[in-house]
Amino acid sequence: MTTPASALQLRSLVTDDQKVELFLDTVEVPVPGPTEVLVRVEAAPINPSDLGLLLAGADVTAAVATGTPERPVIIAPLPPAAMRAMKARVGVPMPVGNEGAGTVVAAGSSDAAQALVGKTVAAAGGSMYGQYRAVDVAFCLELPAGTAAADGASSFVNPMTALGMVETMRLEGHTALVHTAAASNLGQMLNRLCISEQIPLVSIVRKAEQEDLLRSAGASYVCNSTAPSFMDDLIAALKATGATLGFDAIGGGKLTSQILTGMEAAASADASFSRYGSAVHKQVYIYGGLDRAPTELTRNFGMAWGVGGWLLTPFLGRIGLEGIARLRARVAAELTTTFASSYTDKVTLAGALDLGALTAYARQATGSKYLILPNG
Amino acid sequence: MTTPASALQLRSLVTDDQKVELFLDTVEVPVPGPTEVLVRVEAAPINPSDLGLLLAGADVTAAVATGTPERPVIIAPLPPAAMRAMKARVGVPMPVGNEGAGTVVAAGSSDAAQALVGKTVAAAGGSMYGQYRAVDVAFCLELPAGTAAADGASSFVNPMTALGMVETMRLEGHTALVHTAAASNLGQMLNRLCISEQIPLVSIVRKAEQEDLLRSAGASYVCNSTAPSFMDDLIAALKATGATLGFDAIGGGKLTSQILTGMEAAASADASFSRYGSAVHKQVYIYGGLDRAPTELTRNFGMAWGVGGWLLTPFLGRIGLEGIARLRARVAAELTTTFASSYTDKVTLAGALDLGALTAYARQATGSKYLILPNG
């Protein structure tokens, strides 16, 4: 296999006429530095965490397709608030894609880089929606021999996030978890992880078929937030599990508040009156923004509570290099079991800029997951 | 002075017909145990933190007065939500009053108790809206000779809260503070404390006269949340001070969110684009509930943020006995300077159950503060 001199890369450009333009650029294939490898990217997932950079907050319903079949272009308008937030991006065509996997086709001079030649690796660090990417070996995870790139494409974001939730739980003194949008790829992963670690998990979903999916995967506590009995179901599950830490992917609306209310009801069920509520600390971290509306907290859950943002990168900083290495080794060993991902759609780079596909993955519907095959 | 066998005590009773009844009960004057002193309570403030227990969430606008001038009774209906929350209180006439000050008129056998006979002490621990209270010496603060009871009545809640805010700031790695409802007795105290400790403080108020009051007391950064320029003023103050920790007495509405938005704007003012916002952790603690509406968080302040409840008692637990002793000694030494309180109205126990007075102090208006003189 010879490496071409140039290759395709997907770019997202905010223009000063308040639009985002998505297109395929022809870029030079980089020469790896001493500690880098050149990865021929064969698979890269579209995660919710990629969409902020890709779409820049554009109004996808008003997107139009232009360009050619080989070089499609999508143009979508930015609402004023999004434009204000993207000020620093105007005129800079940004590469996208947090993670992916592929074959190492060239390497720098260091032993660590040379050792990976010909291997299949997963990589993180951005710019993965392209045909070739030079990556420092520190950001590569060598996959077990025979692993398909598609199976290794989601080796970082979701697995490290699921592990990060469990580690955070232990670091902060909790013993059980609550998770929302819990039938997602990440939610299914967390369910398998909690089963293997014997951590009680309360999974909150919005549809009956999502309840079925999780229950058939062994989940013991699944609550449907659209059911009339939701608060009763949630309180019963929180009593049974003692969960006092939640991770919320939704963010907007009342769900975070409902979780805290349920935790307080469970904590104070057998307690005598206290005007400040129970002394049990209840925490919900918002790690996603599936609902962009404001978070509404009713504060009917005493005084011992916290809500905050949670992001993978600072968490990794908190556990340090040794902690990261430990988690990565576990991901590699359980990539097709605990940390398996599944995709409903596989598209080329051009296919990712198809208007129908874009509309679908921008919706972030649970059960729909896209994988880009940049060399497919 | 001889101690009577019985004395008056204010009580708050939730009845099963969904009402709260406030009345004066005749109770036996307690005999102090070995480590207790009997305090003739001469002054006790009505703090916002007393109102939850006193009023039980009743609809004060629908309160009616009954009883006699010597034994007034107030009866007010409880909205259904308040009634649910007060379930555990039905039928139990509760004494009220977190703190107060008075003269030690009798003491138990221990040396520590005997040493306080005849002294003026401040005391915390509840039941202070009564003529006599037996208190463990551990909950007493001996006031400097010559201190009037009225000057020592607010020696715990506000001073320890102001000191607690500063201690929390240091414990959690911040270097400046934001405070809301900042012209309150507590806010003025915090302003004096921050000046003496050279801690930059951003004070948020709602009225021009409150701005003036704080500025004339030496406050450098005062923002009026009703001014059209509020967000600009706030961001400028946050840039100047570097404050990344706020204490919010209001709770409901958008103010907590605005503070976080302002902190993020200040933190990212000179930074290049980051899709997850700045890495600077921004925290607001809600320690009061002047607005009972839901807290609305717009989450346009990146991912490094937290909001939570803050309560004095668990904070004191966090700093331990040694920490508490250190703070108490400081309060005693600066009771008429840094930690001075002022009162707009002084009432007897019967006067506290006057409908006009009740309506006034239930409003919790900044600048209005009641002191009960139980033996007045």
Side-chain angles (χ1 to χ4, degrees):
Chain A
M1 196 188 304
T2 57
T3 304
S6 67
L8 292 177
Q9 189 172 59
L10 194 153
R11 299 267 180 154
S12 170
L13 172 67
V14 174
T15 58
D16 54 16
D17 60 344
Q18 241 175 276
K19 287 179 178 136
V20 69
E21 210 177 300
L22 309 179
F23 61 99
L24 301 184
D25 206 359
T26 301
V27 297
E28 223 174 287
V29 172
V31 175
T35 63
E36 289 184 330
V37 293
L38 181 66
V39 180
R40 181 178 183 271
V41 183
E42 280 139 17
I46 302 181
N47 289 317
S49 51
D50 292 308
L51 293 176
L53 185 60
L54 181 71
L55 302 176
D59 178 4
V60 171
T61 63
V64 294
T66 169
T68 65
E70 293 75 34
R71 294 291 183 102
V73 176
I74 298 271
I75 296 174
L78 262 64
M83 189 66 193
R84 273 196 299 278
M86 296 297 146
K87 221 170 42 185
R89 279 189 52 183
V90 172
V92 187
M94 299 191 77
V96 190
N98 281 322
E99 63 179 343
T103 308
V104 174
V105 294
S109 55
S110 73
D111 291 347
Q114 285 294 326
L116 291 177
V117 173
K119 301 279 171 67
T120 303
V121 297
S127 310
M128 300 302 292
Y129 298 167
Q131 296 183 304
Y132 290 88
R133 169 80 160 96
V135 196
D136 195 286
V137 290
F139 297 106
C140 288
L141 178 66
E142 183 183 343
L143 298 175
T147 306
D151 286 334
S154 294
S155 294
F156 288 94
V157 180
N158 279 348
M160 294 302 258
T161 300
L163 286 164
M165 291 172 176
V166 167
E167 294 277 315
T168 300
M169 180 196 84
R170 291 189 175 126
L171 280 170
E172 300 186 2
H174 304 270
T175 56
L177 286 172
V178 179
H179 189 222
T180 72
S184 64
N185 257 323
L186 172 60
Q188 295 179 48
M189 209 175 270
L190 184 65
N191 180 50
R192 290 189 294 266
L193 179 60
C194 285
I195 289 172
S196 83
E197 302 265 316
Q198 298 185 285
I199 295 166
L201 171 68
V202 179
S203 295
I204 300 177
V205 297
R206 282 180 288 194
K207 291 183 179 166
E209 58 263 37
Q210 295 166 345
E211 291 185 65
D212 296 343
L213 185 153
L214 285 170
R215 287 212 177 90
S216 70
S220 300
Y221 304 97
V222 187
C223 301
N224 187 330
S225 60
T226 66
S229 60
F230 173 58
M231 281 309 296
D232 291 338
D233 300 342
L234 179 62
I235 292 168
L238 292 167
K239 271 192 205 171
T241 58
T244 49
L245 176 62
F247 283 89
D248 181 18
I250 295 167
K254 299 178 194 299
L255 189 54
T256 288
S257 194
Q258 288 176 311
I259 294 168
L260 292 169
T261 301
M263 287 173 177
E264 176 66 5
S268 60
D270 308 313
S272 59
F273 175 74
S274 161
R275 70 197 121 139
Y276 295 122
S278 78
V280 176
H281 184 76
K282 301 159 291 289
Q283 179 74 37
V284 176
Y285 286 115
I286 296 176
Y287 75 96
L290 293 176
D291 182 345
R292 303 303 305 165
T295 310
E296 273 183 60
L297 306 175
T298 55
R299 307 196 314 287
N300 60 342
F301 31 73
M303 291 299 280
W305 62 275
V307 170
W310 192 92
L311 197 59
L312 181 57
T313 313
F315 163 74
L316 295 177
R318 186 174 172 188
I319 62 169
L321 288 178
E322 215 170 331
I324 295 172
R326 176 171 51 82
L327 301 191
R328 281 173 59 161
R330 174 153 189 195
V331 173
E334 301 175 32
L335 198 54
T336 56
T337 53
T338 311
F339 301 107
S341 292
S342 64
Y343 305 93
T344 51
D345 296 87
K346 297 185 180 180
V347 292
T348 61
L349 284 171
L353 299 186
D354 171 80
L355 198 52
L358 179 95
T359 310
Y361 61 70
R363 202 181 297 130
Q364 302 180 56
T366 300
S368 161
K369 179 100 186 174
Y370 276 70
L371 186 68
I372 298 180
L373 311 177
N375 285 285
Chain B
M1 193 189 307
T2 57
T3 304
S6 68
L8 291 178
Q9 188 172 60
L10 193 155
R11 299 268 180 154
S12 169
L13 171 67
V14 174
T15 57
D16 54 14
D17 60 344
Q18 241 174 275
K19 286 178 180 139
V20 68
E21 211 177 301
L22 309 179
F23 62 98
L24 301 183
D25 205 1
T26 302
V27 297
E28 224 174 282
V29 172
V31 176
T35 63
E36 289 184 330
V37 294
L38 182 67
V39 180
R40 182 179 182 271
V41 183
E42 280 139 15
I46 301 182
N47 289 317
S49 51
D50 291 309
L51 293 177
L53 185 60
L54 181 70
L55 303 175
D59 177 5
V60 171
T61 62
V64 295
T66 167
T68 66
E70 294 75 33
R71 294 293 183 103
V73 176
I74 298 271
I75 297 175
L78 262 65
M83 189 65 193
R84 274 196 299 278
M86 295 298 146
K87 220 169 43 182
R89 279 188 54 181
V90 172
V92 187
M94 300 191 78
V96 189
N98 282 322
E99 63 180 341
T103 309
V104 174
V105 294
S109 54
S110 73
D111 290 348
Q114 284 294 326
L116 291 177
V117 173
K119 302 279 173 62
T120 303
V121 297
S127 310
M128 300 302 293
Y129 298 166
Q131 296 182 305
Y132 291 87
R133 168 81 159 95
V135 196
D136 195 286
V137 289
F139 297 106
C140 288
L141 178 66
E142 182 182 344
L143 298 174
T147 306
D151 286 333
S154 294
S155 295
F156 288 95
V157 178
N158 279 348
M160 294 302 258
T161 299
L163 286 164
M165 291 173 178
V166 167
E167 293 276 316
T168 299
M169 181 197 83
R170 292 188 174 127
L171 280 171
E172 300 186 1
H174 304 269
T175 56
L177 286 172
V178 179
H179 190 221
T180 72
S184 63
N185 256 322
L186 171 60
Q188 295 178 50
M189 209 175 269
L190 183 65
N191 180 51
R192 290 190 295 266
L193 179 61
C194 285
I195 289 171
S196 83
E197 303 266 317
Q198 298 183 286
I199 295 166
L201 171 68
V202 179
S203 295
I204 300 177
V205 299
R206 281 180 289 195
K207 290 182 179 166
E209 57 264 37
Q210 295 165 346
E211 291 184 65
D212 296 343
L213 185 153
L214 285 170
R215 288 213 178 88
S216 70
S220 301
Y221 304 97
V222 187
C223 300
N224 187 330
S225 61
T226 66
S229 60
F230 173 59
M231 280 310 295
D232 290 339
D233 300 343
L234 179 61
I235 292 169
L238 292 167
K239 270 191 206 172
T241 58
T244 48
L245 176 63
F247 283 89
D248 180 18
I250 295 168
K254 300 179 194 298
L255 190 54
T256 288
S257 194
Q258 288 174 311
I259 294 168
L260 292 169
T261 301
M263 287 174 176
E264 176 67 5
S268 60
D270 308 313
S272 59
F273 174 74
S274 161
R275 68 197 125 138
Y276 296 121
S278 78
V280 176
H281 184 76
K282 302 159 290 288
Q283 179 75 36
V284 176
Y285 287 114
I286 296 175
Y287 75 95
L290 293 176
D291 182 346
R292 304 301 307 163
T295 310
E296 272 183 60
L297 307 174
T298 56
R299 306 196 314 289
N300 59 342
F301 31 73
M303 291 297 280
W305 62 275
V307 170
W310 192 93
L311 197 60
L312 182 57
T313 314
F315 163 75
L316 295 177
R318 187 175 170 186
I319 62 168
L321 287 178
E322 214 168 331
I324 296 171
R326 176 171 51 83
L327 301 191
R328 281 173 59 162
R330 174 152 189 196
V331 173
E334 301 175 34
L335 198 53
T336 57
T337 53
T338 311
F339 301 107
S341 293
S342 64
Y343 306 93
T344 51
D345 297 87
K346 298 183 181 182
V347 292
T348 60
L349 284 171
L353 299 187
D354 171 80
L355 198 51
L358 179 93
T359 309
Y361 60 70
R363 203 180 298 131
Q364 301 179 56
T366 300
S368 159
K369 179 103 186 173
Y370 276 70
L371 185 69
I372 299 179
L373 312 176
N375 286 284

